[in-house]
Amino acid sequence: MLILAATPIGQAADASRRLAEVLASADVVAAEDTRRLKRLAAELGVEVGGRIVSYFEGNEERRTPELAAMLVEGQTVVLVTDAGMPSVSDPGYRLVVAAIEADVAVTAIPGPSAVLTALAVSGLPVDRFCFEGFLPRKSGERMRALTELVAERRTMVFFESPHRTEVSLRAMAEVLGEDRSAAVCRELTKTYEEVARGGLGELVEWAAGQEQGVRGEVTIVVGGAPSDSRTYAPEDLRELVAARQSDGLSRKDAIEQVAGETGTRRKDVYDAAHS
C-alpha cells in the first residue's frame, strides 16, 4: 500500500496520531527532506522503524520506479513532504500514478493544509475556490497566466516564495485590478503567523514596506471576479482588441486578454476581431 501522509505546516502538535503510527510501522518512508523527517519524528517521540529514502524534485523521476517495485513486492510505503499533503505542489503525483498503474492500493492520512487554512482565515468567499499553485517565474508567462484568470469567479489560492511575493502581487494588481480583495497569509500556524488583508494595491505597499522583505512560507488568496452580466457587442470587442494591439500585444494575445477581461468566449472575440 502507498500512504500519502500529510505533515504539519507549522506546529508539530498538529500531527495526527495516525501519522505517528505509520511512521513507526511502515516498511519504507519516502521523504522530501530526510532531515526534516527525522526532526519531526523526534518531536513526535516516534522512531521510524523502516527504511528512510529521499524523494524530492531532483530524484523523483528516477526513484519512482524503485518505490513502485517495492510496492509491488508487498511493502508499505509512506510518502511525506516538508509540509502539507504530498503531490499538492510537492513530489508525489508520479508515484501515485505508478501505484495505480501497478494495481497497488493508494490511501491518504489527511492533515494540515496551507490551502484550506489560508482560505479559512482570508475573510474571502470559500463556497467555491480554485488552487493555482505557483505562478510562472518569467514575467511574460506570469502575466499571461494571470490574464487567463481575470474573469475567474471563484476565490483563487496561490503559493509563492517570499522573495517573489512583492513581484507577484504587483502583477496581480496590474492584471486583476488594485481594488481586487486579497489576503497574504504568512507563516500559517507558526509563531510569527501574519495575515495581511486588503486590495491588491494595498498589499503591494504592504510587501514593499517590509524592512527585511517578505519572509517565511507564503500563501496568497485572491477574490474572484465580480459578477458582470454585461454583453459586449462585436464592435466593442473589436475596439478592445485593437486597443490591446496598440499597446504592443500581438492579435492572438490581445484576443486572449479581452476574452479574459470581459468573460466572453474566445471564439466570439476572435470572430469580432476578424469581422
Side-chain angles (χ1 to χ4, degrees):
M1 177 180 289
L2 171 62
I3 302 174
L4 307 177
T7 54
I9 60 176
Q11 300 289 337
D14 292 336
S16 69
R17 180 177 298 178
R18 284 186 65 206
L19 173 62
E21 291 173 353
V22 298
L23 289 179
S25 63
D27 299 305
V28 180
V29 178
E32 185 176 12
D33 187 326
T34 57
R35 293 169 299 180
R36 286 198 181 191
L37 167 64
K38 292 174 181 177
R39 186 160 59 246
L40 174 62
E43 290 176 331
L44 299 178
V46 174
E47 184 175 345
V48 179
R51 176 186 173 194
I52 298 176
V53 299
S54 64
Y55 189 75
F56 59 98
E57 185 178 0
N59 72 356
E60 184 177 6
E61 186 173 357
R62 171 177 57 82
R63 181 138 284 173
T64 293
E66 299 175 11
L67 292 172
M70 297 176 191
L71 289 167
V72 171
E73 291 171 359
Q75 298 187 59
T76 294
V77 176
V78 173
L79 176 60
V80 295
T81 52
D82 291 347
M85 179 61 72
S87 82
V88 180
S89 282
D90 275 329
Y93 172 74
R94 285 190 177 94
L95 185 55
V96 170
V97 172
I100 293 171
E101 291 177 347
D103 199 26
V104 171
V106 179
T107 189
I109 296 178
S113 163
V115 175
L116 298 181
T117 302
L119 274 168
V121 302
S122 68
L124 295 169
V126 297
D127 53 334
R128 297 178 67 235
F129 67 90
C130 57
F131 174 57
E132 294 295 325
F134 288 91
L135 285 170
R137 296 187 180 188
K138 295 183 179 179
S139 176
E141 295 177 3
R142 181 167 55 243
M143 298 299 279
R144 282 193 291 273
L146 288 170
T147 298
E148 293 176 359
L149 296 171
V150 169
E152 175 58 66
R153 300 285 180 83
R154 296 170 294 180
T155 297
M156 297 165 280
V157 184
F158 302 84
F159 284 163
E160 193 50 276
S161 63
H163 66 276
R164 286 202 304 270
T165 296
E166 182 181 345
V167 172
S168 289
L169 288 171
R170 287 187 184 280
M172 289 176 180
E174 180 178 343
V175 177
L176 304 179
E178 294 188 354
D179 294 331
R180 182 76 72 93
S181 296
V184 179
C185 306
R186 189 182 71 83
E187 294 289 85
L188 287 169
T189 77
K190 299 178 182 177
T191 303
Y192 299 104
E193 174 179 295
E194 179 180 12
V195 180
R197 304 178 182 87
L200 284 169
E202 295 175 289
L203 293 175
V204 170
E205 295 180 4
W206 168 84
Q210 302 297 302
E211 292 184 2
Q212 298 180 333
V214 178
R215 304 177 70 180
E217 302 290 334
V218 175
T219 304
I220 302 174
V221 186
V222 181
S227 177
D228 185 358
S229 59
R230 175 181 175 184
T231 299
Y232 291 81
E235 55 269 26
D236 294 331
L237 296 171
R238 187 164 53 249
E239 290 179 5
L240 289 171
V241 170
R244 301 301 181 276
Q245 287 185 265
S246 67
D247 289 338
L249 291 180
S250 66
R251 175 168 287 196
K252 178 181 178 182
D253 288 343
I255 289 172
E256 292 283 359
Q257 184 166 329
V258 170
E261 291 175 351
T262 63
T264 305
R265 292 191 312 164
R266 185 188 180 285
K267 181 181 183 301
D268 292 340
V269 180
Y270 178 90
D271 290 344
H274 288 83
S275 63

